[in-house]
Amino acid sequence: TPTSRNPKRATKCCGNWRATRGRRQRDCVSAASAPAAAVRLFYSYAHEDEELRNELERHLKILERKQLIAPWHDRRITAGRDWNSEIDINLRDAELVLLLVSADFMASDYIVGKELTAAMAQHAAGRSAVAWVLLRPLDLQQDDSDVAPFLKLQGLPPDLKPVTSWPQRDEAWVVVARGLRATVAEIRA
């Protein structure tokens, strides 16, 4: 069923719900027996942080295998495709935009000017949830929200200790994965 956060998630068909705007279209079955579609997750990150994104992906693989999330990032763009268009489409269709924040993320004019702006507009319109993860140490102050509007949202890990600052990085990823599991459950509710 559609959520109040994401009314585009489904439309009624033959008295039952059918997924829209994605590649998956359900047959008309009883609404009670139809499983909720996986939450489309868009990774927004700097390529300098690709290994950290890969680590997080491994920790979220359980959610993907349970078909709770359908993650996407720009490394999935195949040869010959217009990368700008592919990013726009996948960002627009995302139900959860995950910002992987670092100095390189904030230094990227493309990320801040395009991806972050679009993600926050979608969030404000109720079309997408936005979550952010502090990957590496970065001087962010609450009054920086004019250039980093995600600071108005709760970040992960909850104490905002950068993931790379944890003595056991896997412990940080578990905390992040638990937070994202809760966010996904909210979106699917």
mmCIF file of all heavy atoms in Angstrom, residues 42-50 53 73-74 83-84 87-88 91 97-121 130-133 135-136 138 147-150:
data_model
loop_
_atom_site.group_PDB
_atom_site.id
_atom_site.type_symbol
_atom_site.label_atom_id
_atom_site.label_comp_id
_atom_site.label_asym_id
_atom_site.label_seq_id
_atom_site.Cartn_x
_atom_site.Cartn_y
_atom_site.Cartn_z
ATOM 1 N N PHE A 42 19.181 5.202 -3.036
ATOM 2 C CA PHE A 42 20.163 5.883 -3.883
ATOM 3 C C PHE A 42 21.343 6.296 -3.013
ATOM 4 O O PHE A 42 21.173 7.012 -2.026
ATOM 5 C CB PHE A 42 19.526 7.125 -4.518
ATOM 6 C CG PHE A 42 20.458 7.913 -5.396
ATOM 7 C CD1 PHE A 42 20.495 7.698 -6.763
ATOM 8 C CD2 PHE A 42 21.285 8.897 -4.862
ATOM 9 C CE1 PHE A 42 21.343 8.434 -7.586
ATOM 10 C CE2 PHE A 42 22.136 9.641 -5.670
ATOM 11 C CZ PHE A 42 22.167 9.407 -7.031
ATOM 12 N N TYR A 43 22.543 5.832 -3.368
ATOM 13 C CA TYR A 43 23.757 6.251 -2.674
ATOM 14 C C TYR A 43 24.293 7.520 -3.309
ATOM 15 O O TYR A 43 24.592 7.546 -4.498
ATOM 16 C CB TYR A 43 24.854 5.192 -2.805
ATOM 17 C CG TYR A 43 24.702 3.962 -1.951
ATOM 18 C CD1 TYR A 43 24.189 2.787 -2.491
ATOM 19 C CD2 TYR A 43 25.100 3.959 -0.622
ATOM 20 C CE1 TYR A 43 24.084 1.640 -1.715
ATOM 21 C CE2 TYR A 43 24.990 2.823 0.151
ATOM 22 C CZ TYR A 43 24.480 1.666 -0.404
ATOM 23 O OH TYR A 43 24.377 0.535 0.365
ATOM 24 N N SER A 44 24.452 8.575 -2.523
ATOM 25 C CA SER A 44 25.116 9.796 -2.950
ATOM 26 C C SER A 44 26.436 9.848 -2.188
ATOM 27 O O SER A 44 26.444 9.929 -0.954
ATOM 28 C CB SER A 44 24.249 11.015 -2.627
ATOM 29 O OG SER A 44 24.895 12.208 -3.016
ATOM 30 N N TYR A 45 27.543 9.791 -2.921
ATOM 31 C CA TYR A 45 28.855 9.682 -2.284
ATOM 32 C C TYR A 45 29.931 10.204 -3.224
ATOM 33 O O TYR A 45 29.733 10.270 -4.436
ATOM 34 C CB TYR A 45 29.153 8.215 -1.934
ATOM 35 C CG TYR A 45 29.419 7.371 -3.156
ATOM 36 C CD1 TYR A 45 30.713 7.023 -3.529
ATOM 37 C CD2 TYR A 45 28.374 6.966 -3.992
ATOM 38 C CE1 TYR A 45 30.957 6.284 -4.676
ATOM 39 C CE2 TYR A 45 28.610 6.230 -5.135
ATOM 40 C CZ TYR A 45 29.896 5.897 -5.475
ATOM 41 O OH TYR A 45 30.135 5.173 -6.620
ATOM 42 N N ALA A 46 31.061 10.556 -2.673
ATOM 43 C CA ALA A 46 32.231 10.943 -3.469
ATOM 44 C C ALA A 46 32.993 9.676 -3.830
ATOM 45 O O ALA A 46 33.105 8.754 -3.014
ATOM 46 C CB ALA A 46 33.129 11.887 -2.669
ATOM 47 N N HIS A 47 33.512 9.628 -5.034
ATOM 48 C CA HIS A 47 34.242 8.424 -5.466
ATOM 49 C C HIS A 47 35.455 8.130 -4.594
ATOM 50 O O HIS A 47 35.877 6.975 -4.490
ATOM 51 C CB HIS A 47 34.635 8.540 -6.933
ATOM 52 C CG HIS A 47 33.471 8.342 -7.838
ATOM 53 N ND1 HIS A 47 33.528 8.541 -9.194
ATOM 54 C CD2 HIS A 47 32.191 7.944 -7.583
ATOM 55 C CE1 HIS A 47 32.351 8.288 -9.727
ATOM 56 N NE2 HIS A 47 31.528 7.937 -8.771
ATOM 57 N N GLU A 48 35.996 9.133 -3.942
ATOM 58 C CA GLU A 48 37.103 8.906 -3.011
ATOM 59 C C GLU A 48 36.663 8.016 -1.841
ATOM 60 O O GLU A 48 37.497 7.419 -1.163
ATOM 61 C CB GLU A 48 37.636 10.243 -2.472
ATOM 62 C CG GLU A 48 38.318 11.104 -3.517
ATOM 63 C CD GLU A 48 37.359 11.953 -4.352
ATOM 64 O OE1 GLU A 48 36.122 11.813 -4.203
ATOM 65 O OE2 GLU A 48 37.856 12.772 -5.162
ATOM 66 N N ASP A 49 35.364 7.944 -1.599
ATOM 67 C CA ASP A 49 34.813 7.145 -0.503
ATOM 68 C C ASP A 49 34.208 5.828 -0.982
ATOM 69 O O ASP A 49 33.438 5.195 -0.266
ATOM 70 C CB ASP A 49 33.750 7.959 0.248
ATOM 71 C CG ASP A 49 34.338 9.184 0.912
ATOM 72 O OD1 ASP A 49 35.434 9.083 1.488
ATOM 73 O OD2 ASP A 49 33.693 10.252 0.851
ATOM 74 N N GLU A 50 34.583 5.415 -2.174
ATOM 75 C CA GLU A 50 33.979 4.212 -2.762
ATOM 76 C C GLU A 50 34.208 2.963 -1.905
ATOM 77 O O GLU A 50 33.299 2.144 -1.738
ATOM 78 C CB GLU A 50 34.517 3.978 -4.171
ATOM 79 C CG GLU A 50 33.822 2.838 -4.877
ATOM 80 C CD GLU A 50 34.138 2.806 -6.358
ATOM 81 O OE1 GLU A 50 35.094 3.473 -6.806
ATOM 82 O OE2 GLU A 50 33.409 2.104 -7.068
ATOM 83 N N ARG A 53 31.784 3.026 0.850
ATOM 84 C CA ARG A 53 30.445 2.670 0.349
ATOM 85 C C ARG A 53 30.329 1.168 0.162
ATOM 86 O O ARG A 53 29.319 0.558 0.514
ATOM 87 C CB ARG A 53 30.153 3.379 -0.973
ATOM 88 C CG ARG A 53 28.676 3.255 -1.387
ATOM 89 C CD ARG A 53 28.431 3.165 -2.872
ATOM 90 N NE ARG A 53 28.961 1.935 -3.396
ATOM 91 C CZ ARG A 53 29.745 1.841 -4.466
ATOM 92 N NH1 ARG A 53 30.106 2.912 -5.137
ATOM 93 N NH2 ARG A 53 30.187 0.680 -4.882
ATOM 94 N N HIS A 73 23.770 2.870 -7.184
ATOM 95 C CA HIS A 73 24.803 3.908 -7.172
ATOM 96 C C HIS A 73 25.345 4.042 -8.583
ATOM 97 O O HIS A 73 25.081 3.203 -9.455
ATOM 98 C CB HIS A 73 25.919 3.590 -6.165
ATOM 99 C CG HIS A 73 26.496 2.228 -6.299
ATOM 100 N ND1 HIS A 73 27.371 1.869 -7.295
ATOM 101 C CD2 HIS A 73 26.295 1.115 -5.557
ATOM 102 C CE1 HIS A 73 27.703 0.616 -7.166
ATOM 103 N NE2 HIS A 73 27.054 0.115 -6.122
ATOM 104 N N ASP A 74 26.109 5.090 -8.823
ATOM 105 C CA ASP A 74 26.543 5.411 -10.182
ATOM 106 C C ASP A 74 27.494 4.395 -10.802
ATOM 107 O O ASP A 74 27.660 4.374 -12.013
ATOM 108 C CB ASP A 74 27.152 6.816 -10.235
ATOM 109 C CG ASP A 74 28.411 6.960 -9.412
ATOM 110 O OD1 ASP A 74 28.719 6.073 -8.576
ATOM 111 O OD2 ASP A 74 29.104 7.973 -9.583
ATOM 112 N N TRP A 83 25.384 9.090 -18.202
ATOM 113 C CA TRP A 83 25.491 8.994 -16.750
ATOM 114 C C TRP A 83 24.676 10.063 -16.039
ATOM 115 O O TRP A 83 24.070 9.798 -15.006
ATOM 116 C CB TRP A 83 26.956 8.994 -16.290
ATOM 117 C CG TRP A 83 27.712 10.254 -16.540
ATOM 118 C CD1 TRP A 83 28.437 10.570 -17.640
ATOM 119 C CD2 TRP A 83 27.796 11.380 -15.672
ATOM 120 N NE1 TRP A 83 28.971 11.820 -17.522
ATOM 121 C CE2 TRP A 83 28.590 12.348 -16.305
ATOM 122 C CE3 TRP A 83 27.281 11.678 -14.413
ATOM 123 C CZ2 TRP A 83 28.885 13.578 -15.739
ATOM 124 C CZ3 TRP A 83 27.571 12.921 -13.844
ATOM 125 C CH2 TRP A 83 28.364 13.838 -14.499
ATOM 126 N N ASN A 84 24.626 11.276 -16.587
ATOM 127 C CA ASN A 84 23.871 12.348 -15.940
ATOM 128 C C ASN A 84 22.382 11.992 -15.893
ATOM 129 O O ASN A 84 21.718 12.152 -14.866
ATOM 130 C CB ASN A 84 24.103 13.668 -16.679
ATOM 131 C CG ASN A 84 23.670 14.864 -15.874
ATOM 132 O OD1 ASN A 84 23.910 14.933 -14.670
ATOM 133 N ND2 ASN A 84 23.032 15.810 -16.529
ATOM 134 N N ILE A 87 21.731 9.098 -13.376
ATOM 135 C CA ILE A 87 21.742 9.596 -11.993
ATOM 136 C C ILE A 87 20.442 10.330 -11.705
ATOM 137 O O ILE A 87 19.801 10.098 -10.670
ATOM 138 C CB ILE A 87 22.976 10.481 -11.737
ATOM 139 C CG1 ILE A 87 24.238 9.612 -11.721
ATOM 140 C CG2 ILE A 87 22.832 11.266 -10.428
ATOM 141 C CD1 ILE A 87 25.534 10.380 -11.681
ATOM 142 N N ASP A 88 20.028 11.206 -12.609
ATOM 143 C CA ASP A 88 18.779 11.956 -12.408
ATOM 144 C C ASP A 88 17.586 11.030 -12.217
ATOM 145 O O ASP A 88 16.779 11.220 -11.307
ATOM 146 C CB ASP A 88 18.504 12.880 -13.601
ATOM 147 C CG ASP A 88 19.424 14.086 -13.645
ATOM 148 O OD1 ASP A 88 20.126 14.353 -12.646
ATOM 149 O OD2 ASP A 88 19.452 14.762 -14.694
ATOM 150 N N LEU A 91 17.901 9.016 -8.891
ATOM 151 C CA LEU A 91 17.714 9.908 -7.750
ATOM 152 C C LEU A 91 16.247 10.304 -7.622
ATOM 153 O O LEU A 91 15.671 10.259 -6.538
ATOM 154 C CB LEU A 91 18.598 11.148 -7.896
ATOM 155 C CG LEU A 91 18.518 12.208 -6.806
ATOM 156 C CD1 LEU A 91 18.776 11.627 -5.426
ATOM 157 C CD2 LEU A 91 19.498 13.328 -7.104
ATOM 158 N N VAL A 97 17.312 8.373 0.002
ATOM 159 C CA VAL A 97 18.583 8.881 -0.500
ATOM 160 C C VAL A 97 19.549 8.849 0.675
ATOM 161 O O VAL A 97 19.283 9.429 1.729
ATOM 162 C CB VAL A 97 18.454 10.310 -1.061
ATOM 163 C CG1 VAL A 97 19.807 10.822 -1.534
ATOM 164 C CG2 VAL A 97 17.421 10.354 -2.179
ATOM 165 N N LEU A 98 20.646 8.136 0.478
ATOM 166 C CA LEU A 98 21.642 7.980 1.529
ATOM 167 C C LEU A 98 22.865 8.807 1.183
ATOM 168 O O LEU A 98 23.562 8.532 0.194
ATOM 169 C CB LEU A 98 22.004 6.496 1.665
ATOM 170 C CG LEU A 98 22.930 6.122 2.808
ATOM 171 C CD1 LEU A 98 22.391 6.625 4.147
ATOM 172 C CD2 LEU A 98 23.103 4.613 2.839
ATOM 173 N N LEU A 99 23.122 9.828 1.975
ATOM 174 C CA LEU A 99 24.259 10.723 1.784
ATOM 175 C C LEU A 99 25.436 10.201 2.604
ATOM 176 O O LEU A 99 25.324 10.076 3.823
ATOM 177 C CB LEU A 99 23.913 12.144 2.243
ATOM 178 C CG LEU A 99 22.601 12.751 1.744
ATOM 179 C CD1 LEU A 99 22.362 14.107 2.412
ATOM 180 C CD2 LEU A 99 22.618 12.878 0.237
ATOM 181 N N LEU A 100 26.535 9.893 1.936
ATOM 182 C CA LEU A 100 27.734 9.413 2.620
ATOM 183 C C LEU A 100 28.696 10.601 2.718
ATOM 184 O O LEU A 100 29.411 10.924 1.775
ATOM 185 C CB LEU A 100 28.347 8.237 1.864
ATOM 186 C CG LEU A 100 27.404 7.045 1.662
ATOM 187 C CD1 LEU A 100 28.127 5.892 0.974
ATOM 188 C CD2 LEU A 100 26.782 6.592 2.975
ATOM 189 N N VAL A 101 28.681 11.245 3.862
ATOM 190 C CA VAL A 101 29.293 12.560 4.035
ATOM 191 C C VAL A 101 30.760 12.466 4.465
ATOM 192 O O VAL A 101 31.111 11.731 5.383
ATOM 193 C CB VAL A 101 28.481 13.390 5.055
ATOM 194 C CG1 VAL A 101 29.128 14.749 5.292
ATOM 195 C CG2 VAL A 101 27.036 13.547 4.580
ATOM 196 N N SER A 102 31.571 13.244 3.763
ATOM 197 C CA SER A 102 33.001 13.374 4.059
ATOM 198 C C SER A 102 33.437 14.726 3.506
ATOM 199 O O SER A 102 32.655 15.430 2.870
ATOM 200 C CB SER A 102 33.784 12.246 3.385
ATOM 201 O OG SER A 102 33.754 12.419 1.973
ATOM 202 N N ALA A 103 34.708 15.053 3.704
ATOM 203 C CA ALA A 103 35.235 16.293 3.117
ATOM 204 C C ALA A 103 35.143 16.232 1.596
ATOM 205 O O ALA A 103 34.825 17.231 0.941
ATOM 206 C CB ALA A 103 36.675 16.523 3.566
ATOM 207 N N ASP A 104 35.383 15.063 1.006
ATOM 208 C CA ASP A 104 35.299 14.922 -0.451
ATOM 209 C C ASP A 104 33.858 15.081 -0.938
ATOM 210 O O ASP A 104 33.630 15.652 -2.009
ATOM 211 C CB ASP A 104 35.872 13.574 -0.899
ATOM 212 C CG ASP A 104 37.380 13.533 -0.743
ATOM 213 O OD1 ASP A 104 38.050 14.447 -1.246
ATOM 214 O OD2 ASP A 104 37.888 12.585 -0.111
ATOM 215 N N PHE A 105 32.908 14.571 -0.192
ATOM 216 C CA PHE A 105 31.485 14.760 -0.514
ATOM 217 C C PHE A 105 31.172 16.259 -0.556
ATOM 218 O O PHE A 105 30.587 16.758 -1.522
ATOM 219 C CB PHE A 105 30.637 14.045 0.548
ATOM 220 C CG PHE A 105 29.150 14.195 0.396
ATOM 221 C CD1 PHE A 105 28.408 13.240 -0.277
ATOM 222 C CD2 PHE A 105 28.475 15.276 0.968
ATOM 223 C CE1 PHE A 105 27.027 13.356 -0.399
ATOM 224 C CE2 PHE A 105 27.104 15.402 0.848
ATOM 225 C CZ PHE A 105 26.378 14.438 0.158
ATOM 226 N N MET A 106 31.554 16.974 0.495
ATOM 227 C CA MET A 106 31.264 18.408 0.579
ATOM 228 C C MET A 106 32.060 19.218 -0.443
ATOM 229 O O MET A 106 31.624 20.289 -0.846
ATOM 230 C CB MET A 106 31.526 18.937 1.995
ATOM 231 C CG MET A 106 30.574 18.397 3.050
ATOM 232 S SD MET A 106 28.819 18.678 2.681
ATOM 233 C CE MET A 106 28.727 20.453 2.608
ATOM 234 N N ALA A 107 33.195 18.719 -0.885
ATOM 235 C CA ALA A 107 34.023 19.434 -1.866
ATOM 236 C C ALA A 107 33.530 19.244 -3.294
ATOM 237 O O ALA A 107 33.955 19.984 -4.192
ATOM 238 C CB ALA A 107 35.474 18.973 -1.761
ATOM 239 N N SER A 108 32.634 18.296 -3.510
ATOM 240 C CA SER A 108 32.152 18.014 -4.862
ATOM 241 C C SER A 108 31.041 18.986 -5.259
ATOM 242 O O SER A 108 29.958 18.967 -4.680
ATOM 243 C CB SER A 108 31.625 16.580 -4.954
ATOM 244 O OG SER A 108 30.950 16.380 -6.176
ATOM 245 N N ASP A 109 31.316 19.812 -6.265
ATOM 246 C CA ASP A 109 30.298 20.737 -6.750
ATOM 247 C C ASP A 109 29.106 19.983 -7.327
ATOM 248 O O ASP A 109 27.963 20.420 -7.179
ATOM 249 C CB ASP A 109 30.884 21.673 -7.816
ATOM 250 C CG ASP A 109 31.909 22.638 -7.235
ATOM 251 O OD1 ASP A 109 31.840 22.927 -6.019
ATOM 252 O OD2 ASP A 109 32.781 23.091 -7.991
ATOM 253 N N TYR A 110 29.355 18.852 -7.976
ATOM 254 C CA TYR A 110 28.257 18.062 -8.564
ATOM 255 C C TYR A 110 27.345 17.517 -7.464
ATOM 256 O O TYR A 110 26.122 17.640 -7.539
ATOM 257 C CB TYR A 110 28.806 16.908 -9.410
ATOM 258 C CG TYR A 110 27.697 16.130 -10.097
ATOM 259 C CD1 TYR A 110 27.194 16.554 -11.316
ATOM 260 C CD2 TYR A 110 27.136 15.013 -9.506
ATOM 261 C CE1 TYR A 110 26.168 15.868 -11.946
ATOM 262 C CE2 TYR A 110 26.101 14.318 -10.118
ATOM 263 C CZ TYR A 110 25.622 14.750 -11.337
ATOM 264 O OH TYR A 110 24.589 14.078 -11.943
ATOM 265 N N ILE A 111 27.943 16.921 -6.445
ATOM 266 C CA ILE A 111 27.129 16.351 -5.368
ATOM 267 C C ILE A 111 26.338 17.436 -4.649
ATOM 268 O O ILE A 111 25.125 17.324 -4.489
ATOM 269 C CB ILE A 111 28.005 15.574 -4.368
ATOM 270 C CG1 ILE A 111 28.552 14.306 -5.029
ATOM 271 C CG2 ILE A 111 27.208 15.217 -3.119
ATOM 272 C CD1 ILE A 111 29.593 13.577 -4.193
ATOM 273 N N VAL A 112 27.020 18.487 -4.208
ATOM 274 C CA VAL A 112 26.344 19.534 -3.430
ATOM 275 C C VAL A 112 25.366 20.310 -4.301
ATOM 276 O O VAL A 112 24.235 20.594 -3.891
ATOM 277 C CB VAL A 112 27.375 20.469 -2.756
ATOM 278 C CG1 VAL A 112 26.694 21.666 -2.111
ATOM 279 C CG2 VAL A 112 28.181 19.695 -1.722
ATOM 280 N N GLY A 113 25.771 20.632 -5.525
ATOM 281 C CA GLY A 113 24.927 21.449 -6.394
ATOM 282 C C GLY A 113 23.778 20.711 -7.031
ATOM 283 O O GLY A 113 22.734 21.307 -7.312
ATOM 284 N N LYS A 114 23.926 19.416 -7.255
ATOM 285 C CA LYS A 114 22.895 18.677 -7.975
ATOM 286 C C LYS A 114 22.231 17.621 -7.096
ATOM 287 O O LYS A 114 21.029 17.672 -6.853
ATOM 288 C CB LYS A 114 23.500 18.039 -9.218
ATOM 289 C CG LYS A 114 22.470 17.382 -10.080
ATOM 290 C CD LYS A 114 22.938 17.240 -11.496
ATOM 291 C CE LYS A 114 21.786 16.690 -12.296
ATOM 292 N NZ LYS A 114 21.735 17.140 -13.627
ATOM 293 N N GLU A 115 22.999 16.627 -6.650
ATOM 294 C CA GLU A 115 22.406 15.514 -5.909
ATOM 295 C C GLU A 115 21.820 15.962 -4.574
ATOM 296 O O GLU A 115 20.674 15.626 -4.247
ATOM 297 C CB GLU A 115 23.435 14.407 -5.692
ATOM 298 C CG GLU A 115 23.823 13.691 -6.963
ATOM 299 C CD GLU A 115 24.834 12.582 -6.743
ATOM 300 O OE1 GLU A 115 25.136 12.219 -5.584
ATOM 301 O OE2 GLU A 115 25.349 12.053 -7.753
ATOM 302 N N LEU A 116 22.579 16.700 -3.798
ATOM 303 C CA LEU A 116 22.104 17.139 -2.482
ATOM 304 C C LEU A 116 20.903 18.061 -2.613
ATOM 305 O O LEU A 116 19.913 17.923 -1.887
ATOM 306 C CB LEU A 116 23.235 17.821 -1.708
ATOM 307 C CG LEU A 116 22.882 18.353 -0.322
ATOM 308 C CD1 LEU A 116 22.362 17.243 0.575
ATOM 309 C CD2 LEU A 116 24.106 19.027 0.303
ATOM 310 N N THR A 117 20.958 18.986 -3.561
ATOM 311 C CA THR A 117 19.844 19.913 -3.778
ATOM 312 C C THR A 117 18.570 19.153 -4.143
ATOM 313 O O THR A 117 17.499 19.391 -3.572
ATOM 314 C CB THR A 117 20.206 20.926 -4.874
ATOM 315 O OG1 THR A 117 21.382 21.641 -4.464
ATOM 316 C CG2 THR A 117 19.083 21.905 -5.129
ATOM 317 N N ALA A 118 18.684 18.205 -5.076
ATOM 318 C CA ALA A 118 17.516 17.413 -5.494
ATOM 319 C C ALA A 118 17.000 16.544 -4.353
ATOM 320 O O ALA A 118 15.786 16.450 -4.128
ATOM 321 C CB ALA A 118 17.868 16.559 -6.702
ATOM 322 N N ALA A 119 17.906 15.914 -3.622
ATOM 323 C CA ALA A 119 17.501 15.040 -2.521
ATOM 324 C C ALA A 119 16.743 15.819 -1.451
ATOM 325 O O ALA A 119 15.693 15.366 -0.969
ATOM 326 C CB ALA A 119 18.722 14.358 -1.915
ATOM 327 N N MET A 120 17.246 16.980 -1.088
ATOM 328 C CA MET A 120 16.586 17.767 -0.037
ATOM 329 C C MET A 120 15.238 18.316 -0.516
ATOM 330 O O MET A 120 14.294 18.400 0.264
ATOM 331 C CB MET A 120 17.505 18.888 0.449
ATOM 332 C CG MET A 120 18.772 18.386 1.146
ATOM 333 S SD MET A 120 18.522 17.206 2.501
ATOM 334 C CE MET A 120 17.699 18.233 3.698
ATOM 335 N N ALA A 121 15.136 18.662 -1.802
ATOM 336 C CA ALA A 121 13.849 19.113 -2.351
ATOM 337 C C ALA A 121 12.835 17.969 -2.326
ATOM 338 O O ALA A 121 11.668 18.174 -1.961
ATOM 339 C CB ALA A 121 14.036 19.645 -3.774
ATOM 340 N N VAL A 130 15.606 11.177 3.426
ATOM 341 C CA VAL A 130 17.041 11.413 3.298
ATOM 342 C C VAL A 130 17.682 11.021 4.623
ATOM 343 O O VAL A 130 17.221 11.431 5.690
ATOM 344 C CB VAL A 130 17.361 12.890 2.964
ATOM 345 C CG1 VAL A 130 18.864 13.144 3.027
ATOM 346 C CG2 VAL A 130 16.814 13.261 1.596
ATOM 347 N N ALA A 131 18.708 10.195 4.532
ATOM 348 C CA ALA A 131 19.503 9.830 5.701
ATOM 349 C C ALA A 131 20.960 10.124 5.362
ATOM 350 O O ALA A 131 21.343 10.091 4.197
ATOM 351 C CB ALA A 131 19.315 8.348 6.030
ATOM 352 N N TRP A 132 21.735 10.423 6.375
ATOM 353 C CA TRP A 132 23.143 10.694 6.107
ATOM 354 C C TRP A 132 24.025 9.983 7.114
ATOM 355 O O TRP A 132 23.629 9.738 8.247
ATOM 356 C CB TRP A 132 23.437 12.181 6.042
ATOM 357 C CG TRP A 132 23.221 12.989 7.276
ATOM 358 C CD1 TRP A 132 22.030 13.387 7.805
ATOM 359 C CD2 TRP A 132 24.226 13.520 8.142
ATOM 360 N NE1 TRP A 132 22.231 14.128 8.937
ATOM 361 C CE2 TRP A 132 23.580 14.229 9.170
ATOM 362 C CE3 TRP A 132 25.612 13.461 8.143
ATOM 363 C CZ2 TRP A 132 24.267 14.876 10.192
ATOM 364 C CZ3 TRP A 132 26.309 14.110 9.152
ATOM 365 C CH2 TRP A 132 25.628 14.808 10.161
ATOM 366 N N VAL A 133 25.217 9.630 6.620
ATOM 367 C CA VAL A 133 26.204 8.919 7.417
ATOM 368 C C VAL A 133 27.491 9.725 7.379
ATOM 369 O O VAL A 133 27.975 10.074 6.305
ATOM 370 C CB VAL A 133 26.461 7.500 6.847
ATOM 371 C CG1 VAL A 133 27.534 6.781 7.655
ATOM 372 C CG2 VAL A 133 25.173 6.693 6.803
ATOM 373 N N LEU A 135 31.088 9.668 7.347
ATOM 374 C CA LEU A 135 32.112 8.667 7.070
ATOM 375 C C LEU A 135 33.444 8.983 7.722
ATOM 376 O O LEU A 135 34.059 8.123 8.349
ATOM 377 C CB LEU A 135 32.335 8.543 5.553
ATOM 378 C CG LEU A 135 31.186 8.052 4.713
ATOM 379 C CD1 LEU A 135 31.605 7.981 3.254
ATOM 380 C CD2 LEU A 135 30.683 6.703 5.200
ATOM 381 N N ARG A 136 33.910 10.223 7.503
ATOM 382 C CA ARG A 136 35.244 10.612 7.954
ATOM 383 C C ARG A 136 35.131 11.927 8.704
ATOM 384 O O ARG A 136 34.176 12.677 8.514
ATOM 385 C CB ARG A 136 36.179 10.761 6.752
ATOM 386 C CG ARG A 136 36.385 9.443 6.021
ATOM 387 C CD ARG A 136 37.422 9.516 4.906
ATOM 388 N NE ARG A 136 36.877 10.144 3.699
ATOM 389 C CZ ARG A 136 37.484 11.110 3.018
ATOM 390 N NH1 ARG A 136 38.634 11.589 3.404
ATOM 391 N NH2 ARG A 136 36.934 11.602 1.936
ATOM 392 N N LEU A 138 35.041 15.606 9.817
ATOM 393 C CA LEU A 138 34.732 16.793 9.028
ATOM 394 C C LEU A 138 34.237 17.875 9.978
ATOM 395 O O LEU A 138 33.444 17.583 10.883
ATOM 396 C CB LEU A 138 33.644 16.446 7.997
ATOM 397 C CG LEU A 138 33.131 17.547 7.083
ATOM 398 C CD1 LEU A 138 34.244 18.074 6.185
ATOM 399 C CD2 LEU A 138 31.988 17.007 6.237
ATOM 400 N N VAL A 147 24.636 25.509 3.901
ATOM 401 C CA VAL A 147 25.388 24.833 2.838
ATOM 402 C C VAL A 147 25.350 23.316 2.987
ATOM 403 O O VAL A 147 25.721 22.597 2.069
ATOM 404 C CB VAL A 147 26.859 25.317 2.772
ATOM 405 C CG1 VAL A 147 26.923 26.774 2.329
ATOM 406 C CG2 VAL A 147 27.574 25.090 4.081
ATOM 407 N N ALA A 148 24.910 22.842 4.128
ATOM 408 C CA ALA A 148 24.781 21.407 4.397
ATOM 409 C C ALA A 148 23.406 21.178 5.031
ATOM 410 O O ALA A 148 23.302 20.906 6.229
ATOM 411 C CB ALA A 148 25.904 20.932 5.307
ATOM 412 N N PRO A 149 22.331 21.289 4.237
ATOM 413 C CA PRO A 149 20.982 21.234 4.800
ATOM 414 C C PRO A 149 20.631 19.913 5.475
ATOM 415 O O PRO A 149 19.711 19.866 6.301
ATOM 416 C CB PRO A 149 20.076 21.497 3.597
ATOM 417 C CG PRO A 149 20.906 21.193 2.395
ATOM 418 C CD PRO A 149 22.319 21.469 2.789
ATOM 419 N N PHE A 150 21.382 18.863 5.209
ATOM 420 C CA PHE A 150 21.137 17.577 5.864
ATOM 421 C C PHE A 150 21.409 17.646 7.360
ATOM 422 O O PHE A 150 20.970 16.780 8.122
ATOM 423 C CB PHE A 150 21.973 16.464 5.213
ATOM 424 C CG PHE A 150 23.440 16.728 5.216
ATOM 425 C CD1 PHE A 150 24.225 16.420 6.309
ATOM 426 C CD2 PHE A 150 24.047 17.284 4.099
ATOM 427 C CE1 PHE A 150 25.586 16.668 6.312
ATOM 428 C CE2 PHE A 150 25.412 17.531 4.083
ATOM 429 C CZ PHE A 150 26.184 17.233 5.189
#
